[in-house]
Amino acid sequence: MTAVQDNITGHDEYLRVLEAIQTGALQLLAGFPQQPSALRVQVGEVTIEAEWQVSGAPVAPAPAPVETGVAQDDPPIGAVFRAPSVGVFYRSPEPGADPFVQVGDPVTAGQQIAIVEAMKLMIPVTAQTSGVITGILVEDNEPVQFDQSLFSYSPE
């Protein structure tokens, strides 16, 4: 191999390692009940630290539903499915595709109902319990916060 090929191979490996760290960190952060203000990841001799501002205020209430099975004046009925991470909310698996779910659709626990994209990582939004979607609380392709309400549903 030439020095250029070695450099490219090393760079590709470096990017794969960073992507693996990013994936693990986002999965770890998604599991916290409240968003932490710092993260330190150490693998062997490499340590990565990140800190960010977390507002002391609770997450703002979700905007009025985009789509509901009831009149616009009525609030969404039932429990909610929440964002697993900060990112951009997508209702469908790719542009132009049908949404994962619509108002009135039944869902089962573990079923994917949306995607949140964070730093080019697609994080599935899954139903935590079975039920029927009663409202979509966020516009497609809109930024969302960790734990923000995305869908309202009526449990089965």
Side-chain angles (χ1 to χ4, degrees):
M1 261 195 222
T2 67
V4 171
Q5 288 172 324
D6 284 343
N7 190 25
I8 290 171
T9 302
H11 183 260
D12 289 345
E13 181 63 24
Y14 176 76
L15 291 177
R16 279 194 293 276
V17 168
L18 283 178
E19 186 174 325
I21 291 170
Q22 175 186 12
T23 300
L26 288 171
Q27 289 172 345
L28 178 66
L29 290 172
F32 283 90
Q34 293 183 357
Q35 184 180 11
S37 62
L39 178 67
R40 180 177 185 214
V41 178
Q42 183 172 357
V43 179
E45 295 180 16
V46 176
T47 302
I48 299 173
E49 295 183 21
E51 289 187 41
W52 53 90
Q53 289 288 108
V54 177
S55 68
V59 175
V66 175
E67 269 181 65
T68 65
V70 294
Q72 273 301 73
D73 295 331
D74 294 340
I77 299 171
V80 293
F81 295 123
R82 300 182 176 277
S85 174
V86 171
V88 178
F89 172 75
Y90 295 108
R91 291 190 53 209
S92 58
E94 59 186 38
D98 290 335
F100 288 102
V101 294
Q102 301 276 10
V103 170
D105 286 352
V107 296
T108 58
Q111 176 182 342
Q112 185 170 358
I113 57 175
I115 295 171
V116 172
E117 178 188 6
M119 298 187 298
K120 298 189 183 193
L121 177 66
M122 300 301 181
I123 303 167
V125 178
T126 56
Q128 311 302 274
T129 61
S130 297
V132 176
I133 300 294
T134 59
I136 300 167
L137 309 175
V138 178
E139 293 277 346
D140 191 42
N141 201 25
E142 288 292 317
V144 295
Q145 296 298 314
F146 170 73
D147 208 32
Q148 181 177 340
S149 299
L150 303 176
F151 297 92
S152 61
Y153 71 99
S154 176
E156 287 187 333

